[in-house]
Amino acid sequence: MYILDTFVHYLGYRQQHGMVALKNPSQPEHYFLLHTFVDTFPISGMLYTKKLLQTELDMSANAGLGKVISKNQEVVVSYLCNDIPAVRHGNGRDWWVVLNKRNSNCYYKILVDGNGAHLYDSTCMDISITYNNQTYSAFSPDGSKYAIVSYVDGIVLFDFDRCTGSLSNSKFISLPVLQDSGWVGLGLVFSPNSRFLYLSATSRLLQYDLWSTDVAHSADTVGKYDGYRSPFGSYFVYTQAGPDGKIYISCGNGENVYHVINRPDAKGDSCLFVQHGIQLPSFSVGVPNFPNYRLGALAGSACDTLTGLVETERAEKERIIKVFPNPATDFITIDYGFTDWNKGEADLEITNALGQIVHKQKLPMYSGYQKLDISSYPSGVYNAFIMRGSSPNGGKGTVVAVAKWVKE
């Protein structure tokens, strides 16, 4: 008991997805760092999250190294789930954070605005989640869904209103009985297009199709643990969507690899899940907690206060596309981070000097980077187009942005 207490108090802030950094909408150089604090129950010694805290940082100070403005300010003091999912407010400026109260059907809604994080409201729904140190939650990239999972009960899926912060239309998804999984760790993550929900379940990776009329029975096993150890078992635990449109999964027990879902918007095995596909330079337990910073205002809604003010600025930024390195020999990276996803999906097209299309693909929504292997391309000058609609050579569709680059 003493050893556990000493361990927890020494490592009180080290918790998977128990920290997130959100920019202060009123002061761009300031960030609000939200973090949970772990303690132990006096008798059982069981870990639990006891509060949500806020620390404000000024990253313009000390030559970019930053300084602490205030720290450990209490936002919510209650038994909480351990992770901190955040989503952009419908006004395109502020943030919502939703936290489940331990062993209950109640949720705290925290609004993060120019004054920092503060408890906005709390609500109790019709489905309870049993928290047993293995509860995980996530927002969909488009902000319309919120999901939470507990290995004791299952998944609860909600509709989410980015204007009001309201949860509604709850759906329960029971977990399948898996003989090869002890449910030691669970992770939830949505695909970039918000259609698929992935559940990492220790020894299996499941894909749920949210467009299905029966979501629970749409579960498809797209990965089974292959026994790889480095040096421990590289199981499927914590999940995170990356800025390149891929999904990364850590092992949860100090491995030096990540698993990768290369095409998470594709159904079934077409998602191209690769186990231990990323070799890390050191051992790691989890993955960083990054919300969808590229999600803009909820266009056309009553709370979209930014549309009339910065529409021209948005249009100008969307024309920005970068290709690097340039010139290149083997690989290029396309930076399309200013794409306005409120206007719909986008394609990437690469054309040669003759205007012939040599590569075309759908870009992952809400992502910003796409890496391409160009080693087989002949030397010459190429154009990279971000498109909505069909080819620029076909006379249809809209060219969003274009950049010229050289293959040596």
Side-chain angles (χ1 to χ4, degrees), residues 367-383:
S367 300
Y369 297 96
Q370 187 67 50
K371 189 174 183 179
L372 293 181
D373 182 353
I374 60 165
S375 57
S376 63
Y377 286 25
S379 298
V381 178
Y382 294 82
N383 284 309

PDB file of all heavy atoms in Angstrom, residues 367-383:
ATOM      1  N   SER A 367      -7.036  16.437 -42.043  1.00  0.00           N
ATOM      2  CA  SER A 367      -5.608  16.193 -41.916  1.00  0.00           C
ATOM      3  C   SER A 367      -4.867  17.314 -42.635  1.00  0.00           C
ATOM      4  O   SER A 367      -5.488  18.211 -43.193  1.00  0.00           O
ATOM      5  CB  SER A 367      -5.241  14.821 -42.484  1.00  0.00           C
ATOM      6  OG  SER A 367      -5.934  13.811 -41.792  1.00  0.00           O
ATOM      7  N   GLY A 368      -3.550  17.255 -42.649  1.00  0.00           N
ATOM      8  CA  GLY A 368      -2.811  18.358 -43.229  1.00  0.00           C
ATOM      9  C   GLY A 368      -1.589  17.984 -44.020  1.00  0.00           C
ATOM     10  O   GLY A 368      -1.025  18.823 -44.721  1.00  0.00           O
ATOM     11  N   TYR A 369      -1.161  16.717 -43.911  1.00  0.00           N
ATOM     12  CA  TYR A 369       0.061  16.307 -44.584  1.00  0.00           C
ATOM     13  C   TYR A 369      -0.163  15.006 -45.360  1.00  0.00           C
ATOM     14  O   TYR A 369      -0.875  14.118 -44.892  1.00  0.00           O
ATOM     15  CB  TYR A 369       1.202  16.092 -43.583  1.00  0.00           C
ATOM     16  CG  TYR A 369       1.604  17.340 -42.841  1.00  0.00           C
ATOM     17  CD1 TYR A 369       1.082  17.610 -41.586  1.00  0.00           C
ATOM     18  CD2 TYR A 369       2.502  18.246 -43.397  1.00  0.00           C
ATOM     19  CE1 TYR A 369       1.440  18.767 -40.892  1.00  0.00           C
ATOM     20  CE2 TYR A 369       2.870  19.399 -42.716  1.00  0.00           C
ATOM     21  CZ  TYR A 369       2.341  19.651 -41.466  1.00  0.00           C
ATOM     22  OH  TYR A 369       2.687  20.787 -40.784  1.00  0.00           O
ATOM     23  N   GLN A 370       0.439  14.921 -46.525  1.00  0.00           N
ATOM     24  CA  GLN A 370       0.394  13.687 -47.308  1.00  0.00           C
ATOM     25  C   GLN A 370       1.777  13.440 -47.877  1.00  0.00           C
ATOM     26  O   GLN A 370       2.320  14.273 -48.607  1.00  0.00           O
ATOM     27  CB  GLN A 370      -0.628  13.800 -48.438  1.00  0.00           C
ATOM     28  CG  GLN A 370      -0.848  12.509 -49.188  1.00  0.00           C
ATOM     29  CD  GLN A 370      -1.503  11.451 -48.322  1.00  0.00           C
ATOM     30  OE1 GLN A 370      -2.498  11.685 -47.670  1.00  0.00           O
ATOM     31  NE2 GLN A 370      -0.931  10.254 -48.324  1.00  0.00           N
ATOM     32  N   LYS A 371       2.349  12.286 -47.554  1.00  0.00           N
ATOM     33  CA  LYS A 371       3.684  11.923 -48.025  1.00  0.00           C
ATOM     34  C   LYS A 371       3.561  10.996 -49.220  1.00  0.00           C
ATOM     35  O   LYS A 371       2.790  10.038 -49.203  1.00  0.00           O
ATOM     36  CB  LYS A 371       4.476  11.248 -46.907  1.00  0.00           C
ATOM     37  CG  LYS A 371       5.961  11.033 -47.230  1.00  0.00           C
ATOM     38  CD  LYS A 371       6.694  10.488 -46.024  1.00  0.00           C
ATOM     39  CE  LYS A 371       8.183  10.331 -46.300  1.00  0.00           C
ATOM     40  NZ  LYS A 371       8.909   9.827 -45.105  1.00  0.00           N
ATOM     41  N   LEU A 372       4.331  11.281 -50.282  1.00  0.00           N
ATOM     42  CA  LEU A 372       4.264  10.493 -51.512  1.00  0.00           C
ATOM     43  C   LEU A 372       5.643   9.984 -51.893  1.00  0.00           C
ATOM     44  O   LEU A 372       6.653  10.706 -51.781  1.00  0.00           O
ATOM     45  CB  LEU A 372       3.721  11.336 -52.664  1.00  0.00           C
ATOM     46  CG  LEU A 372       2.260  11.795 -52.604  1.00  0.00           C
ATOM     47  CD1 LEU A 372       1.938  12.591 -53.861  1.00  0.00           C
ATOM     48  CD2 LEU A 372       1.325  10.611 -52.474  1.00  0.00           C
ATOM     49  N   ASP A 373       5.672   8.760 -52.368  1.00  0.00           N
ATOM     50  CA  ASP A 373       6.889   8.162 -52.909  1.00  0.00           C
ATOM     51  C   ASP A 373       6.983   8.542 -54.384  1.00  0.00           C
ATOM     52  O   ASP A 373       6.151   8.130 -55.208  1.00  0.00           O
ATOM     53  CB  ASP A 373       6.827   6.645 -52.741  1.00  0.00           C
ATOM     54  CG  ASP A 373       8.100   5.959 -53.234  1.00  0.00           C
ATOM     55  OD1 ASP A 373       8.970   6.628 -53.827  1.00  0.00           O
ATOM     56  OD2 ASP A 373       8.220   4.731 -53.024  1.00  0.00           O
ATOM     57  N   ILE A 374       7.975   9.337 -54.737  1.00  0.00           N
ATOM     58  CA  ILE A 374       8.137   9.790 -56.126  1.00  0.00           C
ATOM     59  C   ILE A 374       9.402   9.215 -56.750  1.00  0.00           C
ATOM     60  O   ILE A 374       9.866   9.707 -57.788  1.00  0.00           O
ATOM     61  CB  ILE A 374       8.185  11.329 -56.197  1.00  0.00           C
ATOM     62  CG1 ILE A 374       9.366  11.860 -55.365  1.00  0.00           C
ATOM     63  CG2 ILE A 374       6.876  11.925 -55.701  1.00  0.00           C
ATOM     64  CD1 ILE A 374       9.714  13.302 -55.660  1.00  0.00           C
ATOM     65  N   SER A 375       9.974   8.183 -56.152  1.00  0.00           N
ATOM     66  CA  SER A 375      11.253   7.652 -56.614  1.00  0.00           C
ATOM     67  C   SER A 375      11.183   7.129 -58.044  1.00  0.00           C
ATOM     68  O   SER A 375      12.193   7.126 -58.762  1.00  0.00           O
ATOM     69  CB  SER A 375      11.723   6.540 -55.666  1.00  0.00           C
ATOM     70  OG  SER A 375      10.741   5.514 -55.580  1.00  0.00           O
ATOM     71  N   SER A 376       9.993   6.688 -58.476  1.00  0.00           N
ATOM     72  CA  SER A 376       9.851   6.153 -59.837  1.00  0.00           C
ATOM     73  C   SER A 376       9.478   7.218 -60.868  1.00  0.00           C
ATOM     74  O   SER A 376       9.403   6.930 -62.063  1.00  0.00           O
ATOM     75  CB  SER A 376       8.791   5.046 -59.852  1.00  0.00           C
ATOM     76  OG  SER A 376       7.526   5.565 -59.485  1.00  0.00           O
ATOM     77  N   TYR A 377       9.253   8.455 -60.419  1.00  0.00           N
ATOM     78  CA  TYR A 377       8.867   9.524 -61.347  1.00  0.00           C
ATOM     79  C   TYR A 377      10.077   9.946 -62.186  1.00  0.00           C
ATOM     80  O   TYR A 377      11.191  10.081 -61.661  1.00  0.00           O
ATOM     81  CB  TYR A 377       8.368  10.750 -60.593  1.00  0.00           C
ATOM     82  CG  TYR A 377       6.988  10.632 -59.979  1.00  0.00           C
ATOM     83  CD1 TYR A 377       6.450   9.396 -59.647  1.00  0.00           C
ATOM     84  CD2 TYR A 377       6.242  11.760 -59.712  1.00  0.00           C
ATOM     85  CE1 TYR A 377       5.197   9.298 -59.079  1.00  0.00           C
ATOM     86  CE2 TYR A 377       4.974  11.678 -59.130  1.00  0.00           C
ATOM     87  CZ  TYR A 377       4.470  10.438 -58.819  1.00  0.00           C
ATOM     88  OH  TYR A 377       3.230  10.339 -58.246  1.00  0.00           O
ATOM     89  N   PRO A 378       9.897  10.184 -63.490  1.00  0.00           N
ATOM     90  CA  PRO A 378      10.988  10.758 -64.293  1.00  0.00           C
ATOM     91  C   PRO A 378      11.342  12.163 -63.796  1.00  0.00           C
ATOM     92  O   PRO A 378      10.492  12.875 -63.252  1.00  0.00           O
ATOM     93  CB  PRO A 378      10.396  10.813 -65.702  1.00  0.00           C
ATOM     94  CG  PRO A 378       9.251   9.851 -65.690  1.00  0.00           C
ATOM     95  CD  PRO A 378       8.698   9.893 -64.298  1.00  0.00           C
ATOM     96  N   SER A 379      12.564  12.556 -63.995  1.00  0.00           N
ATOM     97  CA  SER A 379      12.976  13.909 -63.611  1.00  0.00           C
ATOM     98  C   SER A 379      12.187  14.929 -64.403  1.00  0.00           C
ATOM     99  O   SER A 379      11.875  14.718 -65.586  1.00  0.00           O
ATOM    100  CB  SER A 379      14.471  14.096 -63.860  1.00  0.00           C
ATOM    101  OG  SER A 379      15.223  13.198 -63.078  1.00  0.00           O
ATOM    102  N   GLY A 380      11.861  16.037 -63.735  1.00  0.00           N
ATOM    103  CA  GLY A 380      11.113  17.070 -64.427  1.00  0.00           C
ATOM    104  C   GLY A 380      10.316  17.939 -63.487  1.00  0.00           C
ATOM    105  O   GLY A 380      10.462  17.864 -62.266  1.00  0.00           O
ATOM    106  N   VAL A 381       9.459  18.775 -64.082  1.00  0.00           N
ATOM    107  CA  VAL A 381       8.636  19.709 -63.331  1.00  0.00           C
ATOM    108  C   VAL A 381       7.221  19.136 -63.192  1.00  0.00           C
ATOM    109  O   VAL A 381       6.647  18.633 -64.160  1.00  0.00           O
ATOM    110  CB  VAL A 381       8.584  21.086 -64.021  1.00  0.00           C
ATOM    111  CG1 VAL A 381       7.681  22.035 -63.244  1.00  0.00           C
ATOM    112  CG2 VAL A 381       9.987  21.666 -64.150  1.00  0.00           C
ATOM    113  N   TYR A 382       6.646  19.230 -61.972  1.00  0.00           N
ATOM    114  CA  TYR A 382       5.324  18.697 -61.687  1.00  0.00           C
ATOM    115  C   TYR A 382       4.483  19.758 -60.970  1.00  0.00           C
ATOM    116  O   TYR A 382       5.019  20.713 -60.395  1.00  0.00           O
ATOM    117  CB  TYR A 382       5.408  17.446 -60.807  1.00  0.00           C
ATOM    118  CG  TYR A 382       6.065  16.266 -61.495  1.00  0.00           C
ATOM    119  CD1 TYR A 382       7.457  16.156 -61.547  1.00  0.00           C
ATOM    120  CD2 TYR A 382       5.295  15.263 -62.068  1.00  0.00           C
ATOM    121  CE1 TYR A 382       8.062  15.076 -62.173  1.00  0.00           C
ATOM    122  CE2 TYR A 382       5.881  14.175 -62.690  1.00  0.00           C
ATOM    123  CZ  TYR A 382       7.270  14.085 -62.742  1.00  0.00           C
ATOM    124  OH  TYR A 382       7.859  13.018 -63.371  1.00  0.00           O
ATOM    125  N   ASN A 383       3.187  19.567 -61.045  1.00  0.00           N
ATOM    126  CA  ASN A 383       2.253  20.408 -60.302  1.00  0.00           C
ATOM    127  C   ASN A 383       1.446  19.547 -59.338  1.00  0.00           C
ATOM    128  O   ASN A 383       1.030  18.434 -59.693  1.00  0.00           O
ATOM    129  CB  ASN A 383       1.291  21.135 -61.236  1.00  0.00           C
ATOM    130  CG  ASN A 383       1.940  22.309 -61.942  1.00  0.00           C
ATOM    131  OD1 ASN A 383       2.552  23.153 -61.287  1.00  0.00           O
ATOM    132  ND2 ASN A 383       1.809  22.360 -63.248  1.00  0.00           N
TER     133      ASN A 383
END
